[in-house]
Amino acid sequence: MSVCDMFKVLDLAARRGEAAVVVRVLDGGRAYVDAVVGGRPLLGLVPDAVVRAVAGLRPGERAQLEVGGMSISAEAVLVRPTVIVVGFGEVARRVSEVAAAAGYYVAAIGHEAEGAFYRGDLPDLERLVSEGSIVVVANEGGHPSDVDVVELAVRRGAGYVALLASQRRAALVVRELERRGLPREAVASRLRSPAGLDIGARTAGEIAVSVVAEVVMYLRGGSGRPMREIKDPYKVVEEVEGDLSSYRCEWRPQPSA
């Protein structure tokens, strides 16, 4: 079984629920991986007997089992969102690292990045990208493969496709995709280009923050507005009681596997 297969399973699991049991199976000379979510195997590879055997696992628990002559390694996890970052330069590396720091599983395609779950090259996209995937294409100045990657992602039904580009280059990409037979509506519903939120980013790291912020907004349904506008403290200054010595923040980060 490959890390590529594992990434795809985690990607699918992240879009189906918050918890999953990742199952690695060794059946004679055949090895494969699947994930059980809601009592069902995502890829349909795991037999019912294995699904029943791992049903009681809770996030953080692991098990080594023998079922019907198969050697089973199972781990229950709270699944993270997954992001596929494609690029050959500094911006792509920074996007991968910021996304990994945000707690996402990252597939770094064409570059090395600290914290990435998977490192691969362009041909791997055929196996990685599927319906609902998050794909970021981040080549500063552009790369000949950009339009091909965007076309693959749109045709595969990726939910979010970001392309680092100027306004004019983004328009040229849209026109080329139309020439290749993709309707403008299908492109517009998935492609985010120029990528990122308008925060005045200039450096590679700042651009990465801008792009990953838009990914978070897409995943969590945010508005992109400043938090001070959403939760303006000046509107409740006269209503609050007590002092800071008794105040306890109610917010806590969400756990992730």
Side-chain angles (χ1 to χ4, degrees):
M1 70 192 74
S2 69
V3 178
C4 181
D5 294 331
M6 175 66 76
F7 183 90
K8 185 173 183 179
V9 165
L10 291 171
D11 187 19
L12 288 168
R15 288 183 256 126
R16 302 291 175 85
E18 295 184 350
V21 179
V22 178
V23 181
R24 302 171 181 84
V25 179
L26 182 61
D27 184 4
R30 178 173 174 245
Y32 58 90
V33 62
D34 203 341
V36 177
V37 179
R40 299 179 63 182
L42 286 179
L43 303 182
L45 301 176
V46 176
D48 290 343
V50 175
V51 173
R52 291 192 296 270
V54 303
L57 291 179
R58 297 292 177 263
E61 296 179 344
R62 301 182 180 185
Q64 293 291 141
L65 307 168
E66 292 290 332
V67 179
M70 296 176 289
S71 178
I72 310 296
S73 176
E75 180 179 3
V77 298
L78 292 171
V79 290
R80 313 174 189 179
T82 61
V83 181
I84 302 167
V85 182
V86 185
F88 300 90
E90 180 69 5
V91 173
R93 181 173 71 86
R94 292 297 187 184
V95 170
S96 286
E97 290 176 347
V98 172
Y104 299 162
Y105 288 123
V106 174
I109 304 300
H111 60 278
E112 301 283 348
E114 185 176 350
F117 181 85
Y118 178 79
R119 162 70 176 91
D121 296 304
L122 289 175
D124 296 333
L125 291 172
E126 290 285 349
R127 290 193 294 166
L128 289 173
V129 179
S130 60
E131 185 175 356
S133 291
I134 297 172
V135 181
V136 177
V137 186
N139 285 299
E140 52 267 47
H143 187 274
S145 67
D146 284 358
V147 69
D148 299 322
V149 174
V150 171
E151 180 186 12
L152 170 68
V154 173
R155 289 192 184 279
R156 289 286 179 88
Y160 172 99
V161 186
L163 172 66
L164 189 70
S166 66
Q167 182 182 25
R168 293 186 64 82
R169 191 167 77 87
L172 288 171
V173 168
V174 171
R175 191 165 71 184
E176 173 62 18
L177 292 172
E178 289 181 323
R179 191 189 68 78
R180 297 184 182 191
L182 285 170
R184 182 172 298 188
E185 295 76 15
V187 176
S189 67
R190 303 182 188 280
L191 179 61
R192 312 290 183 99
S193 187
L197 301 181
D198 180 13
I199 59 174
R202 294 187 178 183
T203 67
E206 291 171 347
I207 292 169
V209 169
S210 165
V211 172
V212 175
E214 189 179 33
V215 171
V216 175
M217 185 176 70
Y218 165 77
L219 284 168
R220 306 305 185 194
S223 68
R225 294 167 55 196
M227 286 303 299
R228 178 177 163 172
E229 292 182 6
I230 303 297
K231 298 182 178 181
D232 185 352
Y234 294 94
K235 292 182 178 180
V236 297
V237 167
E238 305 304 326
E239 302 174 13
V240 294
E241 299 178 354
D243 56 42
L244 291 176
S245 64
S246 60
Y247 183 78
R248 295 292 182 273
C249 182
E250 297 177 356
W251 179 84
R252 292 291 184 274
Q254 294 295 311
S256 60

